[in-house]
Every structure is written in C-alpha cells, then in structure tokens.
Amino acid sequence: MKFDTLKGMKDTYFDDMAKYEYIINTAKEIFSKYSYDRVMTPILEETSLFKRAVGDETDVVSKEMYTFIDKGDRSVTLRPEGTAGVVRAYLNAGLHKSNPNVKWYYYGPMYRYEAPQKGRYREFHQVGIESLGIRTPLIDAEIIKMACEFLEKLGINDLVVEVNSLGNIDSRFRYIEELKKYLKVNFDGLSNDSKIRSDKNPLRVLDSKDENDQKILLNAPMLHDFFDEESNKYFEDLKYYLEKFEINYVVNQKLVRGLDYYSDTVFEVKSSKLGAQSTVLAGGRYDRLTEILADVKIPGIGFAAGIERLSLLIDDELIKKENKKIFVIYFEETKDYFINTLNTLRKHNINVEFEYAPKGFGTQMKKANKIDAKYVLILGEDEMKNNKLSIKNFEDGSQEILTIDEVIERIK
Ligand code: HAM
C-alpha cells in the first residue's frame, strides 16, 4: 500500500530540513538580540477566534480555513496564521494588566486551503514576531529593520521593502465609508471578486489585479487624503525612522494587506525570484485587535515570514558551508583505535560520519565526497601505531598528520 501526502502538504528532510533549521536558528539569533522571547500557542483554536480577529469577510476566513466539529461538538480550526493565537494568549494571561509590553516570536505550521503553486502550500510554516503594548513609529521602523536584518543574515538579497499606512483607526473607518460609496456607484463595472468585496471588505478591492477594476480605481478616493493629522504625522515619523535605520524602502499606496486587523503601518518584503507568490515576509500594526477580542485597548504590531518561501531563496551553498561535515575512514584492523577516537571526538561535541562496515580506502573516500565532507580523518595502521590521525582538508586539498588534540583544535 502507498499513501501520498495530502495535496498542498509535503514532507521535509535532508537539505530542506537543514534550511528550515538554519532559518529558525537565524530567527532566534536576530530576534533575541532585539529582546524577543519565544511563545508557543496551540495549532488548533476555536473557530470564532479567527473569525473575529482576522475578519469574517477575508479570503483566509471565508474560503481557506480547515474547520471541523470536534468530538465535543465545538467548531475548531487549524490556525491559518499566528497573530490571533498569540494575542489571545497575551489576553488570557492577563498581561494587559500586569505586564503590557511584551515582545514575542514564534514559529510553526499554519493551514490554508488554497490552490497550491510554487511557494504556496496548504500546510506551510511561518516564523513571526508580535510586539504588544507599544504604539510609536519608532518600534514600527525597528521591527522592519529587524526583518531586514533577518533576511540579510539568511543571505537573501534583491528584496523590495514596501510600506504603507492605512491611517489610524478613525481615518481608516472614514475612508472605508467613502470608498464603499464610490464602489457602489461603479458597482456594475467591477469584477465579480471585487463586487463581493466592495461592501464587506472594500480595502481589498484596491489591490485587485483586474484591468477594469484598476481603471475604475483611478478615480477612487485616495486613502491618504482621509488621514487626520495624527495619521499623517505617524506615517511621516515612520519614514523618518526608516531612514535613520538605513532601510531601503518604497511607499506603495495600494498595499492594504489581506487580513482585517491592520491600521496605520503595513509592510511587505517581496522578491522577484518567487513568481506570483512574491511576498516573503509581511506584517503591520493592529491596534484594534485586542478590542475586537476582549474589549481592552492594547496596541500591537508584528510580522510573519513564510519558511518555505525563505527556503526557495536561500542559496544551497550557504547551507553546505554552515554544515561542515567530517568523515572518518578506518579499517577492520584499526576498529578499536577508531572507537576510542570516536569517543574522544564526541566528548568534544564533534560530529563525525563513518561507515559501520568499512570497506576499502577508495570506497570510503567516495562516500566522503558524496556527503561533501570538509575534513576526512584517516585512521590507518601507521596512524594507530603512532597514536596520530591523518587529516585531509577537502577545501584546500592539504593533508597533515596530527595528534587527536591538534585535530580537535583544527576542527573547532
Ligand atoms: P500573511 O501575509 O497572511 O500575514 O502571511 C505572512 C507570510 O506567510 C506571507 O508573506 C507568506 O510568506 C507566508 N504564507 C502565507 N500563506 C502561505 C501559503 N499558503 N503557503 C506558503 N506561505 C504562505 C500573516 O499571516 C500575519 N499574521 C502576519 C502578521 C504578524 N501581521 C502582524 N503580525
């Protein structure tokens, strides 16, 4: 019998697994430098959490959720994103009263029933951060800086950072009312998707790819014209700090994001190397979210990156360099000497690969090549007699005879 994975889901091993680990380790390194601690929340949550937080009318909630009734007759959903659960955890812990300023990062699987394509899966993984309790353009810019630093550390270049502001909660509300009126007047000319969105999720009409929609939108009211003084100042200050942090960015007034909880700052980092699914990392400010969920007012901002999309952009060579392998060649006659050496290397936390049933020198050398080893240690009879090891560096071709202590020093 043979079972396939479900459509849009995949197994991860070898090089892809190494990339996943590298992404997570890099995230931990960079995010903890900015004082973010790890948080873990359940993969399964009450369906109503996502309906309320992400918005009933968004594509994610209305079309893409994996929702089912559990044995206790409750409607539950595999999380389509991480922010709702993290904010729920913050509120459940009462942190808004005891310790409102929290900086958290997380990673794990997310589920969206979308049409799979390159960079788009039904089970995918995100690594993200959320910062609760602070509303200032300084932290918004700092977060974008942290995102850029993370991507740079992964060796991913040629990225475009797009930023926009949706205006504060009041401005956004006034604009949506005006936009709805305009879309109503032009309703007949809109695409079917935009017709559906025009009343329930009108901001999403702005990033429609449909040509006719685009023509209609040319005369639509402009989001930024509805900004009040505070919204304008917030956005100007954001740009000031982005420059202070030396971030290369472009303003994209059409950037509105697909989830309902955003206001003020929104941003996306895009790569031209990913085809249609070009957004690698995305996020924004969500000052209304705690109010929607629990009637308390706590500002928040965060982002998430798709780990599979990051993997597609990471250079394979970088991963090989990070995982320098060491292969040990030995023979039946030197087996005991090999096991003693193995014990010593492992005591020093050095990981080596070897054959359990060693064949000839040539066969073992081939294996070392196959795994792309950086060093090969050779334990022949001569080496055993002299209590030494031959070490061959595959990168520069050099070979030396050293004591075990010298080998450990060299490798480390
Ligand atoms: P999002 O834009 O829905 O935002 O997703 C963030 C990232 O997850 C995307 O830019 C993409 O890299 C990845 N992603 C989304 N869907 C898929 C998919 N089907 N397959 C592969 N990768 C995917 C959020 O999820 C927000 N929670 C981000 C956030 C955090 N905003 C504030 N805090």
Side-chain angles (χ1 to χ4, degrees):
M1 201 184 322
K2 178 177 172 285
F3 292 103
D4 282 330
T5 53
L6 294 172
K7 188 174 170 188
M9 306 202 177
K10 61 186 185 64
D11 304 314
T12 308
Y13 40 75
F14 295 149
D15 289 358
D16 284 340
M17 199 67 241
K19 282 188 182 174
Y20 184 97
E21 304 279 12
Y22 181 61
I23 291 164
I24 298 304
N25 290 338
T26 307
K28 282 183 180 167
E29 182 190 326
I30 303 290
F31 300 165
S32 52
K33 188 169 86 181
Y34 284 77
S35 302
Y36 284 74
D37 297 318
R38 183 163 171 209
V39 62
M40 226 159 79
T41 65
I43 292 171
L44 202 58
E45 298 265 10
E46 260 181 64
T47 302
S48 52
L49 170 69
F50 302 112
K51 287 191 167 189
R52 291 275 288 278
V54 178
D56 254 335
E57 306 306 331
T58 58
D59 282 354
V60 170
V61 169
S62 66
K63 298 184 192 159
E64 297 168 3
M65 294 211 299
Y66 277 88
T67 296
F68 59 95
I69 303 296
D70 75 2
K71 290 188 185 356
D73 229 11
R74 283 171 291 256
S75 177
V76 293
T77 294
L78 290 172
R79 63 180 181 200
E81 59 98 55
T83 310
V86 169
V87 172
R88 180 201 49 65
Y90 171 93
L91 293 167
N92 280 8
L95 296 173
H96 52 294
K97 293 183 215 137
S98 59
N99 176 23
N101 298 348
V102 166
K103 288 171 160 186
W104 276 336
Y105 74 87
Y106 54 89
Y107 55 87
M110 309 286 160
Y111 300 83
R112 295 184 193 178
Y113 198 84
E114 293 190 83
Q117 62 180 97
K118 182 183 171 192
R120 189 161 76 192
Y121 309 95
R122 289 182 176 172
E123 181 186 67
F124 60 99
H125 297 77
Q126 281 186 346
V127 52
I129 66 107
E130 310 294 346
S131 165
L132 286 136
I134 295 167
R135 174 183 164 79
T136 152
L138 174 58
I139 198 166
D140 299 15
E142 187 194 36
I143 277 171
I144 298 174
K145 173 72 180 177
M146 181 168 75
C148 293
E149 206 174 315
F150 169 54
L151 297 168
E152 268 163 35
K153 191 80 205 256
L154 294 174
I156 303 175
N157 307 309
D158 299 328
L159 295 168
V160 179
V161 180
E162 292 187 356
V163 300
N164 192 22
S165 171
L166 302 177
N168 62 21
I169 298 169
D170 293 344
S171 300
R172 186 181 183 277
F173 180 77
R174 277 190 291 120
Y175 174 66
I176 288 175
E177 289 309 301
E178 278 312 302
L179 183 63
K180 270 190 190 169
K181 279 187 212 157
Y182 178 82
L183 295 175
K184 209 170 182 180
V185 173
N186 292 281
F187 188 80
D188 291 342
L190 292 173
S191 66
N192 281 341
D193 269 354
S194 292
K195 275 183 178 151
I196 296 167
R197 287 171 175 159
S198 64
D199 185 44
K200 297 187 164 147
N201 197 2
L203 278 183
R204 286 295 279 169
V205 178
L206 295 183
D207 64 0
S208 162
K209 306 276 179 297
D210 183 274
E211 258 179 47
N212 271 338
D213 289 350
Q214 284 299 331
K215 271 187 210 149
I216 290 174
L217 288 170
L218 286 176
N219 296 318
M222 298 290 286
L223 176 62
H224 289 210
D225 292 342
F226 286 75
F227 281 9
D228 58 15
E229 222 180 296
E230 202 261 351
S231 300
N232 270 324
K233 176 148 185 4
Y234 199 95
F235 193 41
E236 287 311 310
D237 288 351
L238 172 74
K239 290 186 276 185
Y240 172 80
Y241 290 119
L242 288 174
E243 262 141 49
K244 279 272 161 218
F245 281 122
E246 297 171 348
I247 296 163
N248 266 326
Y249 68 93
V250 292
V251 174
N252 173 5
Q253 286 212 25
K254 286 188 182 156
L255 182 69
V256 290
R257 308 277 301 121
L259 316 172
D260 270 1
Y261 46 60
Y262 295 111
S263 55
D264 289 294
T265 309
V266 287
F267 56 97
E268 291 195 354
V269 184
K270 295 179 180 171
S271 162
S272 54
K273 294 182 188 152
L274 283 175
Q277 301 308 314
S278 60
T279 305
V280 190
L281 180 151
R285 178 159 280 290
Y286 47 82
D287 292 352
R288 296 177 309 141
L289 187 48
T290 55
E291 210 175 344
I292 296 170
L293 294 179
D295 225 8
V296 294
K297 277 192 180 162
I298 297 286
I301 182 165
F303 65 71
I307 294 182
E308 287 78 6
R309 289 189 197 174
L310 294 173
S311 291
L312 287 169
L313 294 172
I314 289 179
D315 190 352
D316 293 341
E317 291 304 314
L318 184 77
I319 299 299
K320 274 189 202 140
K321 256 189 232 152
E322 286 292 314
N323 294 318
K324 284 176 191 157
K325 291 196 175 142
I326 302 161
F327 191 82
V328 188
I329 294 181
Y330 68 101
F331 308 94
E332 267 318 309
E333 301 73 33
T334 60
K335 202 175 214 169
D336 286 353
Y337 181 52
F338 159 69
I339 296 172
N340 292 341
T341 308
L342 191 61
N343 284 337
T344 312
L345 292 171
R346 284 185 175 154
K347 271 188 201 133
H348 286 84
N349 292 325
I350 293 172
N351 171 31
V352 293
E353 298 190 29
F354 54 88
E355 295 279 30
Y356 285 91
K359 302 209 178 71
F361 181 80
T363 319
Q364 294 190 66
M365 210 53 166
K366 258 191 210 150
K367 180 76 192 272
N369 262 312
K370 197 173 162 202
I371 66 158
D372 220 358
K374 180 175 181 200
Y375 290 111
V376 174
L377 306 179
I378 303 160
L379 306 183
E381 285 185 273
D382 282 350
E383 283 89 354
M384 181 169 72
K385 251 184 253 150
N386 300 320
N387 204 20
K388 293 209 164 166
L389 297 84
S390 289
I391 176 168
K392 187 171 171 68
N393 182 333
F394 266 20
E395 276 176 4
D396 61 17
S398 63
Q399 185 163 336
E400 289 167 278
I401 297 176
L402 303 177
T403 64
I404 182 88
D405 290 342
E406 287 166 339
V407 164
I408 290 165
E409 183 97 331
R410 182 66 49 90
I411 289 168
K412 288 204 155 167

